Amino acid sequence: MRFYLLSDNADTCLGMRMAGMAGELITDVDTLHSALQRLGTNPDIAVIALTAGLIRLDPALITTWKLKRSQPLLVEVPDHLDSHDVSRNIADYIMNTIGVKL
């Protein structure tokens, strides 16, 4: 079981690759759909990390995936546009996920 990154930012792909996480650069919604379909049937992928920019391409797809599928797990990675206040993003994530306000 491993992690896999889908990113709309080449720098994020490079950084994650240097940390040992495989991934690919996604430039449009059709490529996002086909990548998720391909990765969703791969039993070796446990977690797919998606940059916030990709989630903004098709939020309905991501929401549907999270509600109807248990694996692989989709996890949002803040992108360069969201990185100015990472602590707020983490606090919001925790609040939305488990209902605890920090």
Side-chain angles (χ1 to χ4, degrees):
M1 301 289 251
R2 62 188 173 117
F3 284 77
Y4 196 86
L5 173 72
L6 297 178
S7 176
D8 62 338
N9 182 289
D11 292 335
T12 303
C13 276
L14 178 61
M16 294 298 221
R17 192 169 297 134
M18 290 173 65
M21 185 186 294
E24 60 191 87
L25 186 63
I26 303 292
T27 57
D28 59 63
V29 72
D30 293 331
T31 309
L32 173 63
H33 287 203
S34 63
L36 284 173
Q37 185 175 28
R38 176 175 38 84
L39 295 170
T41 59
N42 185 338
D44 293 333
I45 304 295
V47 177
I48 300 172
L50 293 142
T51 54
L54 285 183
I55 292 173
R56 286 190 291 267
L57 282 179
D58 193 348
L61 171 70
I62 304 306
T63 300
T64 301
W65 180 291
K66 287 182 175 183
L67 292 173
K68 295 190 177 194
R69 296 183 65 130
S70 60
Q71 278 198 323
L73 179 66
L74 296 185
V75 176
E76 181 177 352
V77 177
D79 62 11
H80 63 286
L81 299 174
D82 298 326
S83 64
H84 64 280
D85 191 3
V86 173
S87 63
R88 176 160 166 69
N89 289 335
I90 293 170
D92 289 345
Y93 180 74
I94 292 170
M95 175 63 183
N96 292 333
T97 304
I98 61 175
V100 175
K101 187 170 183 171
L102 301 177

